[in-house]
Amino acid sequence: MNASELTQQIKAVRQRADALENHANTSPLPSSEILHDSLEELNTALEELRVAEEEVRQQNEELRNIRYALDVERQRYKELFDFAPDAYLVTNTEGKILEANRTATTLFKISQKYIQGKLLINFVPENQRRAFRSQLISLQQIKQIQDWEIPMLTREQTEFDAAISVTTMCDREGNPQGWCWLIRDITTRKQAEEQLQAIRNENLQLQEATRLKSQFLAVMSHELRTPMNAILGFSQLLLRHPYNQFPTQARSMVERILSSARRLLALIEDILDFSKLEAGRLELNLEEFNLAELVTTTVQELYCLAQQKNLTINVDINLKEPQIINDSDRVRQILVNLLSNAIKFTDIGNVNVEVLEIQDRVMLIIKDTGIGISEADLKNIFQEFRQVNQCLTRKHGGTGLGLAIVDQLVRLMKGSVTVESKLAEGSTFRVELPRVVHSNH
Ligand code: ADP
């Protein structure tokens, strides 16, 4: 029952009482009878009013419960607002702050008491205020702004980068009543972004430097190759002369020129290969060939190197299907690099070469009993110009390009190379290659 229904009911009872009084004044009946009728009528009216009162009381109770639930809800939202990890502000449409949560007061370094009533624009640096104002104007139309990045100020005038999201609060008719602001301090994110950008720029510069280096290496090695081939050719020509036309000393000198020129040429070839690989300009000459034969002949070619050091080379080829498609010169180069390292860095024991097949892939395993590589050095071993022990390497010779070339070639062939090693125990290099390599261009 609502208030107007109750008023209606009271009005009806009053009308009935008035009617009774009228009746008593005009009725010819004895007064006891009239009294009796009136009492009866009054009783009925009282009962009706009691029922109405009960209903009103019940409704009151319900209203109280609803109000209580509303209070609880409001309190909960207030706590959420207050303890939210982001700064929340409520302003009127002029931008005057009406409410601020704790994070907001911490962010702007100002107490609750002083933030309320201030204009939000006070926390915007002067050079940004024009932009801020025009955003406020545009808010009238667009009603909402997401992640608007703008510098802001604390009360102590320290600037920080903020990301702001604003929503408009409207009344029932849809007229803007104020704005709800979510303000996030993104200074750390911005700094991280700037650092990332700086790293990206540095990377670009490094890439450019690497490109220039490769280009320089390519040009230089190409230029060196021509005179080196001339030295090789002419010294070979000299050595072809009959023995008696050449004093022994001169002959040994030419032999030394020839072997040095060969070493230099190999080195130049390595540099050229590496620069081509790095620049992605090396093409594989794909053909079908017998891997077992290639491994056997390559090992034979290096056999005398091992013999000079009293090392044995064991070869174990387990291939049901030895035909593969790849660039045979480049596979040979991989094998030569790994095998000559194994011989170079082993003084006692042996070098084992194993070839096997795993489904559609073949694997070359080169294992030695040499000086080994420490765990710390293993990580960088495939990087160009990396040599574990410069003094040792000087003793053994080498450029530090062999493994880098192996790594790059294997990648080009869509294979992989791994190494396991222990100091003073030896190293095992495993090269896994697809049985059929496809062209990279
Ligand atoms: P280089 O042999 O010309 O120095 P590599 O790239 O072939 O260059 O090898 C890089 C370094 O890795 C070598 O200087 C050596 O320190 C180490 N290394 C390579 N293979 C072996 C091996 N089988 N045993 C021990 N150390 C090795």
Side-chain angles (χ1 to χ4, degrees):
M1 174 170 290
N2 59 31
S4 74
E5 281 171 345
L6 188 64
T7 322
Q8 282 287 265
Q9 188 133 11
I10 292 170
K11 212 172 174 183
V13 171
R14 191 167 292 143
Q15 275 169 2
R16 272 150 72 188
D18 286 348
L20 261 178
E21 197 183 351
N22 233 359
H23 178 63
N25 288 340
T26 55
S27 174
L29 289 173
S31 59
S32 64
E33 220 169 299
I34 293 171
L35 198 66
H36 190 260
D37 280 357
S38 309
L39 274 175
E40 199 56 47
E41 189 72 20
L42 269 176
N43 252 346
T44 318
L46 260 178
E47 268 163 21
E48 280 174 13
L49 274 178
R50 214 168 285 140
V51 171
E53 189 202 358
E54 254 168 39
E55 258 182 61
V56 168
R57 204 171 284 154
Q58 200 175 328
Q59 278 174 356
N60 258 351
E61 184 72 13
E62 275 167 22
L63 271 177
R64 215 173 296 132
N65 286 345
I66 289 170
R67 184 174 302 155
Y68 178 73
L70 270 176
D71 280 348
V72 170
E73 192 89 325
R74 187 175 302 139
Q75 186 58 29
R76 222 181 60 204
Y77 278 110
K78 174 109 183 69
E79 275 166 20
L80 272 177
F81 177 78
D82 265 348
F83 294 101
D86 292 313
Y88 278 105
L89 294 173
V90 176
T91 67
N92 63 13
T93 45
E94 274 85 53
K96 189 188 270 185
I97 299 171
L98 306 176
E99 276 183 76
N101 72 351
R102 281 166 196 243
T103 319
T105 57
T106 321
L107 184 64
F108 291 109
K109 296 197 169 58
I110 182 170
S111 70
Q112 268 298 342
K113 198 165 97 190
Y114 296 120
I115 198 169
Q116 275 175 12
K118 263 194 187 307
L119 285 170
L120 184 56
I121 203 162
N122 284 332
F123 297 98
V124 176
E126 267 176 38
N127 59 356
Q128 296 291 329
R129 288 190 181 168
R130 184 192 279 262
F132 188 83
R133 276 196 204 95
S134 62
Q135 276 287 42
L136 283 195
I137 293 167
S138 67
L139 252 179
Q140 308 275 0
Q141 261 85 50
I142 55 175
K143 303 270 193 262
Q144 183 166 342
I145 298 175
Q146 288 283 337
D147 289 325
W148 155 31
E149 290 187 11
I150 184 170
M152 293 200 89
L153 292 174
T154 64
R155 194 189 190 196
E156 298 147 359
Q157 304 296 301
T158 327
E159 211 171 287
F160 64 91
D161 289 306
I164 303 180
S165 295
V166 200
T167 42
T168 307
M169 298 181 300
C170 295
D171 63 12
R172 279 192 198 179
E173 281 76 43
N175 302 316
Q177 291 298 295
W179 289 306
C180 192
W181 304 73
L182 184 155
I183 302 171
R184 199 168 282 168
D185 180 356
I186 54 160
T187 314
T188 343
R189 194 189 87 193
K190 277 256 164 182
Q191 280 168 354
E193 277 171 9
E194 273 161 25
Q195 272 171 6
L196 198 72
Q197 193 50 46
I199 292 172
R200 273 199 198 120
N201 291 344
E202 243 170 60
N203 256 351
L204 283 179
Q205 282 170 3
L206 277 176
Q207 274 172 17
E208 178 59 9
T210 312
R211 197 188 61 79
L212 287 174
K213 184 199 76 185
S214 302
Q215 200 178 355
F216 167 74
L217 286 179
V219 172
M220 189 200 69
S221 42
H222 191 79
E223 290 301 314
L224 282 176
R225 215 158 47 153
T226 322
M228 200 49 66
N229 274 326
I231 296 174
L232 272 172
F234 287 125
S235 41
Q236 272 166 340
L237 210 69
L238 278 175
L239 283 178
R240 259 184 236 141
H241 275 275
Y243 264 85
N244 49 14
Q245 286 184 9
F246 233 24
T248 336
Q249 216 181 354
R251 189 176 182 83
S252 98
M253 278 179 188
V254 178
E255 273 167 357
R256 273 160 69 187
I257 292 175
L258 186 65
S259 75
S260 301
R262 277 201 183 115
R263 280 205 349 238
L264 267 177
L265 188 67
L267 204 144
I268 292 165
E269 298 284 355
D270 268 3
I271 295 178
L272 193 62
D273 279 349
F274 182 73
S275 56
K276 271 194 202 157
L277 278 163
E278 228 188 11
R281 280 192 291 108
L282 192 130
E283 275 184 51
L284 296 174
N285 292 320
L286 299 176
E287 57 177 339
E288 187 175 333
F289 64 93
N290 187 311
L291 180 64
E293 276 172 19
L294 182 126
V295 172
T296 316
T297 49
T298 312
V299 171
Q300 270 164 8
E301 281 162 27
L302 294 176
Y303 206 78
C304 61
L305 275 183
Q307 257 183 340
Q308 284 164 14
K309 296 181 80 179
N310 273 333
L311 299 172
T312 43
I313 306 187
N314 305 312
V315 185
D316 183 8
I317 301 177
N318 274 310
L319 291 175
K320 274 195 199 126
E321 178 45 78
Q323 292 298 117
I324 64 166
I325 295 180
N326 203 327
D327 182 329
S328 60
D329 287 338
R330 296 301 175 184
V331 175
R332 189 179 165 279
Q333 191 176 6
I334 292 173
L335 198 58
V336 168
N337 283 2
L338 294 178
L339 208 53
S340 52
N341 272 350
I343 298 169
K344 192 158 66 171
F345 296 105
T346 306
D347 290 329
I348 306 165
N350 48 52
V351 174
N352 292 319
V353 181
E354 200 184 335
V355 187
L356 46 101
E357 56 199 350
I358 309 163
Q359 290 168 352
D360 55 350
R361 297 175 85 80
V362 287
M363 195 189 266
L364 305 171
I365 305 171
I366 293 96
K367 188 173 177 184
D368 65 59
T369 54
I371 58 170
I373 305 159
S374 73
E375 220 177 298
D377 290 320
L378 272 181
K379 282 183 285 194
N380 307 318
I381 209 77
F382 291 105
Q383 281 175 17
E384 66 268 28
F385 306 116
R386 281 285 175 165
Q387 296 180 314
V388 171
N389 184 330
Q390 295 283 341
C391 312
L392 252 180
T393 320
R394 291 280 73 82
K395 176 181 142 198
H396 294 296
T399 51
L401 274 178
L403 287 184
I405 291 176
V406 168
D407 184 51
Q408 297 265 13
L409 278 177
V410 167
R411 278 168 202 258
L412 196 63
M413 297 169 180
K414 303 275 184 294
S416 64
V417 53
T418 54
V419 54
E420 268 172 47
S421 189
K422 251 197 175 147
L423 274 181
E425 284 187 19
S427 316
T428 308
F429 286 82
R430 288 188 176 81
V431 175
E432 207 186 304
L433 298 172
R435 189 183 281 283
V436 177
V437 172
H438 299 283
S439 163
N440 53 320
H441 281 279

